[in-house]
Amino acid sequence: MNVNQSAPPVPPFGQPQPVYLGHHQSSYGGQPGSTTAPTSYGAYNGPVPGYQQTPPPGVSRAPPSSGAPPASTAQGPCGQTAYGQFGQGDVQNGPSSTVQMQRLPGYQPFGSAILAPVVSQPAVLQPYGPPPTSAQVTAQLAGMQISGTVAPASPPSGLGYGPPTSLASASGSFPNSGLYGSYPQGQAPPLGQAQGHPGTQPPQRSVPLQASSFTPPASGGPRMPSMTGPLLPGQSFGGLPVSQPNHVSSPAPQALPPGTQMTGPPGPPLPPMHSSQQPGYQLQQNGSFGPTRGPQSNYGSPYPGAAAFGSQPGPPQPLPAKRLDPDAIPSPIQVIEDDRNNRGSEPFVTGVRGQVPPLVTTNFLVKDQGNASPRYIRCTSYNIPCTSDMAKQAQVPLAAVIKPLARLPPEEASPYVVDHGESGPLRCNRCKAYMCPFMQFVEGGRRFQCCFCSCINDVPPQYFQHLDHTGKRVDACDRPELSLGSYEFLATVDYCKNNKFPSPPAFIFMIDVSYNAIRSGLVRLLCEELKSLLDFLPREGGAEESAIRVGFVTYNKVLHFYNVKSSLAQPQMMVVSDVGDMFVPLLDGFLVNVNESQAVITSLLDQIPEMFADTRETETVFAPVIQAGMEALKAAECAGKLFLFHTSLPIAEAPGKLKNRDDRKLINTDKEKTLFQPQTGAYQTLAKECVAQGCCVDLFLFPNQYVDVATLSVVPQLTGGSVYKYACFQVENDQERFLSDLRRDVQKVVGFDAVMRVRTSTGIRAVDFFGAFYMNNTTDVELAGLDGDKTVTVEFKHDDRLNEENGALLQCALLYTSCAGQRRLRIHNLALNCCTQLADLYRNCETDTLINYMAKFAYRGVLSSPVKTVRDTLITQCAQILACYRKNCASPSSAGQLILPECMKLLPVYLNCVLKSDVLQPGAEVTTDDRAYVRQLVTSMDVAETNVFFYPRLLPLTKSPIENTTEPPAVRASEERLSNGDIYLLENGLNLFLWVGASVQQGVVQSLFGVSSFSQITSGLSVLPVLDNLLSKKVQGLIDSLRAQRSRYMKLIVVKQEDKLETLFKHFLVEDKSLSGGASYVDFLCHMHKEIRQLLS
């Protein structure tokens, strides 16, 4: 933690504090960030008007710089693409241009929607002053445009977004545009400058202006009108994206700087240019010229002799290819860096209502002073509209991502446990909300008014306390439930099933011993690991040993139960061959204490691989195995977890038998949704029975071919369990990943037999839920098991008008059984602001949480709607959100300008990543199972995980000094950012790539790989040699640090530049165009702009 303060003092709550189980901090690496492997985007699959895939005749593409061979697919051991956790699609970004990068003038025509400045603004209220005057001047056919500067409002305190990012000038070749000129080398066009960014110099203003005429292209491309004289009112040229704060007031006009020449009638005088040293000022570039359309070639060169508007016709001039400079559009890396710098050093104190927390990518400490930590709850907006009409107008989803058992860093105290004895926790009589800091005590402390439903309740005599002069109880600071946002109550017997305190939970290990599992070495590896792993079962507080009991089952077409009672000399096996009517053949001796039966268990684990070593049985069952585990827990009258290790499609005759229904022909048809749906209802019925028993299922899959993940994952998904997938498992390559995942899964703390309810204050209510759980009614989220990695996402809707003064309250209550069998209630409270102005809503949004919600909404949508419909819905919603901001909150400016709210300027880039992901746009190599696997994985991810999953981190390793062991600053996920003289690490929470450029120094290759040249490096290597030098230690340390931050082990893959595996690596460079048709960030931003303009017009 880069926090200067020491850990906050613990409030004196007058009781010894048991450490809450399972906050094993070893894996905490700050807030994990999350992002995914995008794949593609629908509207770009084929040639669309204004969005052609091939250059028009006569327009050539720039030659590739690296000359990468036509990407042949990287094949894994089973003929699948080698893709970390899930076989992944090959993606080839378009060839990068060798054209000398040049500065680009201030406008970019883009099809019918000309992309003008992207302006990111903190929201501001209407009305505004008179619109800023602007003078449009042309520069070398570039339509260089100079217009009113703006005096921005400083962003509201507490936002932590730093100064508005200004978008630098463009270079390269701009997609789908035909009309721009060039500047002399080294000369920049006038652009808005970044505030507070070191190293940026105010641009030069004096640029010679030339007149030119337009010659229609011979190829019959679109003809552009020729214009002379000044622009008509309301017309202006598009410009580069510029981040612009609101509160616009036009400064006094000033004369043109010396050296600027104008042709044609002069326009209005120019306002002054403000340099980056003048805080609060930025150049605003307005507008674009109408819906003209340039040639829509695939980044091809523009037509020679394009017209410059506002000038006299002149001789045609050839123009070099241009494209929008990626540095000129909002950068995720810059936003993350700014937030770390602005908000990483001070603790986040939760005492103030409606505060937007630091980003998930920032390391920060939390001081709980009445609202739940953002590690437990994050919202899409911390200031919600007062009325449903306003919410419908803005289209911003109101949702909270709740992680009730989140692990905390060591510097933060676990929730305090409050024991109210036999009377149990104090609650409102009407709405049943639990006592919390927002309850109002009245009548001298004898009664309290519920903050959720306003009901007046009596205070029990044993809970009575006097009030101070402010109306607060004098013991408020001594009671966690009156002073903290998160705490736990010990539950009374009334909160237990059948009014009986629960027994400690049990773990049952169910091992597939069919031919595939034995041959791959899985069974031997697993049995060997379990011998030592069972000593590390989760335990409560300072308990010497775990209270959890264990049992063992092996299976293929039949099931084998084992009696491992401590009094036996050898384990006994009992076979159940009637899988149609499953029962547990023994009670006594099946579930045992590990310490008592250690010798018998070890003997069993030694014997299992030998017993089945010569098996020829290839068929397996699946549903009866889960049924057996559940029946065993039911007979033992306890909750628990089943660990299933399974290898193949269950085709043996038994309940839950499946057939191979894998059909890639269904992709992009109306029947594609069936690939995500379970093929039989039997597993949903089984899951419902498991939830009733508190039986959670964790599934480890080791498939060599299709296993129907969509169906097999139903029970884990509905019981709050996890699915792990190791395609084409080979012990030598995959054992480290599997064993690491298994250890973490067995050791992590789980709440069993849980029920969660979210209560809200009057005016809003929870209407929709996303995650790994089961719901029997509309309010109770039932979880057979819940661990510290799982989230439940809740959407809220208005059912009445909210009040700005009172705000809105959420209370999440989770009732669960701890690992020691103790029944507990964990409570999280959060107060939000309410607003009557849309600008306040947009000023307090959290884009990462918004994307988490939208991804889950879309991934559920594919179960019932065609994928294309789901993608279009996402794009439309995003366009509506941004169009509403533009219409109601942004300062007046030309329609050609793309204006983004400061808090949402990364919404387009992140949304494009979701649209390109394997679920919504699969590449040719992504299997049906991969898509189903990722779909269920994302459903319960937290905000940090989706952030890095959808936008991976790309870290250059050789740019910083070797002695510097801190994490290097990330670069944007684009091929353009790769230098062939460097080495990069890329991670997305599931995969870890080490990309080696072809021109890396020989000394670096020797230090890292122990070989003398680039050609000797083994591509696809998954373990780096341990060498005694600084670079090797630094890279190994960084890899360990990244793995510690993630909930799953990331297997390393070494990728050499221009190697076949590079196609797989490039799939994660999400700002580029993807092979499966997904748009690049620049293209998508232009497309969003077009959508917004259509909505506004």
Side-chain angles (χ1 to χ4, degrees):
M1 290 300 212
N2 55 347
V3 178
N4 302 327
Q5 283 82 354
S6 56
V10 176
F13 289 138
Q15 52 181 328
Q17 184 46 42
V19 172
Y20 178 62
L21 273 180
H23 293 270
H24 296 297
Q25 315 302 357
S26 58
S27 63
Y28 181 80
Q31 291 270 80
S34 199
T35 318
T36 198
T39 20
S40 55
Y41 170 64
Y44 301 96
N45 275 343
V48 179
Y51 229 91
Q52 297 158 1
Q53 300 282 349
T54 53
V59 178
S60 63
R61 293 181 68 160
S65 56
S66 59
S72 58
T73 342
Q75 294 294 324
C78 329
Q80 282 192 1
T81 308
Y83 177 2
Q85 295 251 34
F86 36 96
Q88 185 61 33
D90 296 347
V91 175
Q92 176 72 22
N93 311 328
S96 55
S97 170
T98 51
V99 176
Q100 172 81 34
M101 292 304 227
Q102 288 179 319
R103 306 285 255 168
L104 179 71
Y107 90 107
Q108 297 296 347
F110 177 84
S112 61
I114 299 175
L115 181 66
V118 176
V119 177
S120 161
Q121 303 181 331
V124 71
L125 312 182
Q126 300 276 31
Y128 349 88
T133 58
S134 61
Q136 288 83 11
V137 198
T138 58
Q140 284 195 345
L141 316 179
M144 166 188 129
Q145 169 265 331
I146 305 162
S147 70
T149 54
V150 294
S154 55
S157 60
L159 261 188
Y161 282 98
T165 28
S166 147
L167 309 162
S169 67
S171 60
S173 67
F174 179 64
N176 313 320
S177 50
L179 303 174
Y180 7 72
S182 62
Y183 278 87
Q185 191 127 358
Q187 196 166 356
L191 276 182
Q193 284 297 307
Q195 299 170 349
H197 288 269
T200 49
Q201 293 299 322
Q204 298 302 312
R205 196 56 189 274
S206 56
V207 179
L209 305 175
Q210 298 181 3
S212 164
S213 68
F214 171 68
T215 308
S219 60
R223 301 172 75 89
M224 303 298 290
S226 174
M227 278 184 64
T228 56
L231 293 178
L232 302 174
Q235 288 179 343
S236 60
F237 292 114
L240 285 179
V242 179
S243 175
Q244 176 215 351
N246 231 326
H247 281 323
V248 177
S249 58
S250 297
Q254 291 186 2
L256 281 172
T260 310
Q261 302 169 352
M262 294 186 66
T263 55
L270 282 164
M273 182 77 160
H274 295 281
S275 79
S276 57
Q277 279 73 27
Q278 290 176 275
Y281 278 85
Q282 269 180 280
L283 180 69
Q284 176 182 355
Q285 297 185 327
N286 279 335
S288 72
F289 176 73
T292 56
R293 177 172 299 181
Q296 303 299 303
S297 62
N298 196 13
Y299 298 27
S301 56
Y303 297 169
F309 300 112
S311 62
Q312 302 299 326
Q317 298 180 1
L319 297 176
K322 293 279 185 172
R323 74 183 180 85
L324 186 60
D325 178 8
D327 287 331
I329 51 185
S331 158
I333 304 304
Q334 188 62 56
V335 170
I336 288 168
E337 202 51 44
D338 289 346
D339 193 74
R340 280 180 180 158
N341 295 336
N342 295 330
R343 309 197 66 183
S345 55
E346 292 294 316
F348 178 68
V349 181
T350 70
V352 181
R353 182 176 84 187
Q355 279 185 107
V356 181
L359 298 181
V360 285
T361 43
T362 299
N363 277 348
F364 60 97
L365 273 181
V366 179
K367 279 188 175 177
D368 185 342
Q369 291 191 357
N371 281 294
S373 161
R375 304 192 206 288
Y376 294 124
I377 306 181
R378 277 188 177 263
C379 295
T380 52
S381 179
Y382 288 79
N383 201 334
I384 58 181
C386 281
T387 65
S388 59
D389 290 346
M390 198 170 148
K392 280 178 194 148
Q393 188 183 354
Q395 287 287 314
V396 176
L398 305 176
V401 179
I402 305 175
K403 198 175 180 182
L405 297 181
R407 285 184 315 281
L408 301 179
E411 301 91 336
E412 294 175 22
S414 298
Y416 285 84
V417 181
V418 180
D419 185 358
H420 283 313
E422 288 184 12
S423 61
L426 187 56
R427 306 176 70 177
C428 169
N429 292 328
R430 182 196 287 161
C431 71
K432 303 299 180 198
Y434 294 87
M435 179 53 66
C436 72
F438 309 122
M439 297 290 190
Q440 191 69 41
F441 286 87
V442 293
E443 296 179 24
R446 286 187 294 278
R447 309 180 86 187
F448 71 92
Q449 181 170 20
C450 176
C451 51
F452 294 93
C453 69
S454 303
C455 174
I456 304 282
N457 298 270
D458 290 328
V459 173
Q462 72 275 15
Y463 197 77
F464 173 78
Q465 186 54 269
H466 295 284
L467 308 185
D468 64 14
H469 64 285
T470 65
K472 284 184 72 172
R473 283 174 56 122
V474 296
D475 65 346
C477 291
D478 300 327
R479 288 190 177 272
E481 74 273 23
L482 298 181
S483 57
L484 297 178
S486 301
Y487 42 87
E488 290 200 325
F489 292 117
L490 285 186
T492 58
V493 73
D494 305 333
Y495 291 86
C496 304
K497 267 188 190 162
N498 308 322
N499 279 0
K500 200 166 99 184
F501 281 114
S503 307
F507 284 178
I508 304 177
F509 296 90
M510 317 190 90
I511 306 167
D512 175 350
V513 288
S514 64
Y515 175 73
N516 280 342
I518 297 292
R519 188 196 61 180
S520 67
L522 167 66
V523 174
R524 190 172 295 280
L525 178 71
L526 175 59
C527 290
E528 211 41 57
E529 176 64 26
L530 285 177
K531 286 188 226 171
S532 56
L533 185 54
L534 294 177
D535 293 333
F536 297 97
L537 297 177
R539 62 196 70 185
E540 194 85 284
E544 286 184 17
E545 62 176 56
S546 173
I548 292 172
R549 292 170 295 163
V550 297
F552 300 89
V553 173
T554 55
Y555 68 94
N556 39 46
K557 273 168 71 170
V558 298
L559 276 74
H560 324 104
F561 292 78
Y562 296 94
N563 184 345
V564 283
K565 201 172 180 182
S566 56
S567 55
L568 295 174
Q570 285 292 321
Q572 296 173 345
M573 177 205 272
M574 298 188 181
V575 180
V576 176
S577 51
D578 183 6
V579 289
D581 183 18
M582 186 45 63
F583 66 96
V584 181
L586 75 158
L587 286 180
D588 190 32
F590 178 62
L591 293 178
V592 296
N593 177 292
V594 174
N595 283 2
E596 290 171 8
S597 298
Q598 186 95 50
V600 191
I601 290 172
T602 303
S603 172
L604 170 66
L605 293 172
D606 283 334
Q607 290 176 35
I608 286 175
E610 306 309 326
M611 264 191 289
F612 299 98
D614 301 322
T615 185
R616 286 285 171 267
E617 184 55 75
T618 55
E619 292 188 356
T620 57
V621 295
F622 187 73
V625 183
I626 296 174
Q627 179 87 32
M630 183 195 65
E631 297 290 351
L633 294 177
K634 191 184 277 185
E637 295 185 345
C638 69
K641 183 183 271 197
L642 312 182
F643 295 85
L644 245 83
F645 304 90
H646 190 79
T647 60
S648 57
L649 191 70
I651 54 171
E653 278 305 327
K657 173 185 174 181
L658 301 178
K659 61 179 189 292
N660 187 334
R661 54 166 187 162
D662 190 15
D663 187 358
R664 290 192 60 86
K665 294 195 198 74
L666 297 181
I667 292 177
N668 293 327
T669 69
D670 283 352
K671 288 188 176 173
E672 184 172 10
K673 59 184 177 228
T674 60
L675 297 175
F676 297 108
Q677 297 165 352
Q679 59 171 291
T680 161
Y683 287 95
Q684 271 136 321
T685 309
L686 182 57
K688 188 175 175 181
E689 292 173 27
C690 285
V691 172
Q693 184 47 47
C695 169
C696 174
V697 179
D698 280 359
L699 175 60
F700 292 79
L701 284 171
F702 306 86
N704 288 338
Q705 52 200 22
Y706 178 75
V707 287
D708 199 350
V709 173
T711 305
L712 297 190
S713 64
V714 166
V715 179
Q717 178 80 5
L718 292 177
T719 59
S722 306
V723 179
Y724 299 84
K725 180 165 164 281
Y726 310 89
C728 311
F729 179 81
Q730 292 177 310
V731 170
E732 58 276 15
N733 291 334
D734 300 299
Q735 79 169 45
E736 193 180 355
R737 180 158 73 100
F738 164 56
L739 294 181
S740 177
D741 286 343
L742 176 63
R743 286 169 196 147
R744 198 173 186 283
D745 198 57
V746 168
Q747 293 174 32
K748 68 184 172 191
V749 170
V750 181
F752 293 97
D753 209 359
V755 182
M756 183 179 118
R757 182 176 283 197
V758 178
R759 294 180 174 84
T760 54
S761 54
T762 310
I764 54 170
R765 62 194 168 92
V767 292
D768 209 352
F769 300 83
F770 304 83
F773 53 77
Y774 176 76
M775 289 189 81
N776 216 0
N777 54 41
T778 56
T779 55
D780 294 336
V781 175
E782 296 181 50
L783 302 126
L786 175 69
D787 60 53
D789 298 322
K790 298 280 192 311
T791 64
V792 176
T793 301
V794 186
E795 186 186 4
F796 303 97
K797 288 263 167 74
H798 288 76
D799 58 7
D800 204 347
R801 188 183 175 88
L802 291 165
N803 180 313
E804 260 186 299
E805 190 183 333
N806 298 337
L809 301 175
L810 316 177
Q811 185 179 79
C812 163
L814 177 78
L815 174 65
Y816 71 99
T817 301
S818 74
C819 294
Q822 199 175 46
R823 202 71 174 149
R824 290 184 175 182
L825 280 153
R826 180 168 287 201
I827 312 295
H828 298 296
N829 304 290
L830 186 63
L832 303 173
N833 284 330
C834 297
C835 59
T836 53
Q837 300 287 348
L838 283 167
D840 290 329
L841 164 69
Y842 283 101
R843 199 183 285 125
N844 291 279
C845 286
E846 234 248 329
T847 300
D848 294 322
T849 310
L850 199 54
I851 287 294
N852 179 285
Y853 165 83
M854 291 173 103
K856 290 171 180 176
F857 179 80
Y859 281 17
R860 185 177 66 183
V862 298
L863 291 171
S864 53
S865 307
V867 172
K868 184 181 182 315
T869 308
V870 173
R871 282 203 306 259
D872 292 345
T873 304
L874 278 185
I875 295 168
T876 305
Q877 180 167 19
C878 180
Q880 284 173 331
I881 290 170
L882 298 176
C884 175
Y885 174 81
R886 173 67 188 262
K887 182 178 175 188
N888 298 289
C889 308
S891 51
S893 56
S894 132
Q897 202 172 17
L898 174 55
I899 299 182
L900 304 171
E902 179 63 24
C903 295
M904 286 190 188
K905 62 184 172 193
L906 298 182
L907 188 60
V909 63
Y910 285 162
L911 183 72
N912 189 35
C913 293
V914 174
L915 293 167
K916 295 202 293 185
S917 64
D918 291 336
V919 173
L920 298 183
Q921 196 154 26
E925 303 309 311
V926 182
T927 66
T928 306
D929 274 348
D930 295 331
R931 297 176 74 196
Y933 174 67
V934 174
R935 195 195 76 78
Q936 60 82 30
L937 210 56
V938 168
T939 305
S940 50
M941 274 186 182
D942 71 11
V943 179
E945 287 172 320
T946 50
N947 174 277
V948 80
F949 183 65
F950 289 114
Y951 192 94
R953 276 206 294 180
L954 184 61
L955 307 171
L957 299 185
T958 45
K959 284 190 162 64
S960 56
I962 290 186
E963 307 75 48
N964 185 355
T965 54
T966 56
E967 193 176 285
V971 296
R972 295 171 70 164
S974 167
E975 191 177 354
E976 282 183 359
R977 309 288 162 168
L978 301 177
S979 155
N980 59 7
D982 285 325
I983 295 179
Y984 297 82
L985 260 181
L986 181 142
E987 65 118 358
N988 76 337
L990 297 180
N991 305 278
L992 190 58
F993 293 95
L994 186 73
W995 184 87
V996 187
S999 309
V1000 170
Q1001 292 174 4
Q1002 188 177 341
V1004 171
V1005 171
Q1006 184 71 49
S1007 299
L1008 207 49
F1009 299 98
V1011 295
S1012 56
S1013 70
F1014 174 80
S1015 59
Q1016 292 175 294
I1017 300 171
T1018 309
S1019 183
L1021 197 68
S1022 59
V1023 180
L1024 292 179
V1026 179
L1027 303 172
D1028 188 17
N1029 64 68
L1030 281 175
L1031 181 63
S1032 179
K1033 287 174 182 171
K1034 173 182 173 176
V1035 174
Q1036 295 278 10
L1038 180 59
I1039 289 172
D1040 292 343
S1041 154
L1042 293 176
R1043 284 173 173 160
Q1045 293 172 33
R1046 306 292 172 224
S1047 59
R1048 296 184 179 223
Y1049 183 89
M1050 297 185 290
K1051 178 181 168 184
L1052 180 72
I1053 300 177
V1054 173
V1055 178
K1056 293 164 67 178
Q1057 186 177 5
E1058 299 184 17
D1059 183 80
K1060 61 182 181 181
L1061 271 175
E1062 195 181 31
T1063 311
L1064 172 61
F1065 169 78
K1066 285 180 180 175
H1067 174 79
F1068 297 92
L1069 301 177
V1070 291
E1071 289 200 17
D1072 299 332
K1073 191 169 180 177
S1074 69
L1075 268 190
S1076 49
S1080 69
Y1081 175 19
V1082 168
D1083 285 5
F1084 185 69
L1085 198 59
C1086 296
H1087 182 73
M1088 281 311 302
H1089 188 208
K1090 196 163 77 174
E1091 295 278 325
I1092 292 164
R1093 288 182 65 175
Q1094 282 175 351
L1095 286 171
L1096 291 173
S1097 61

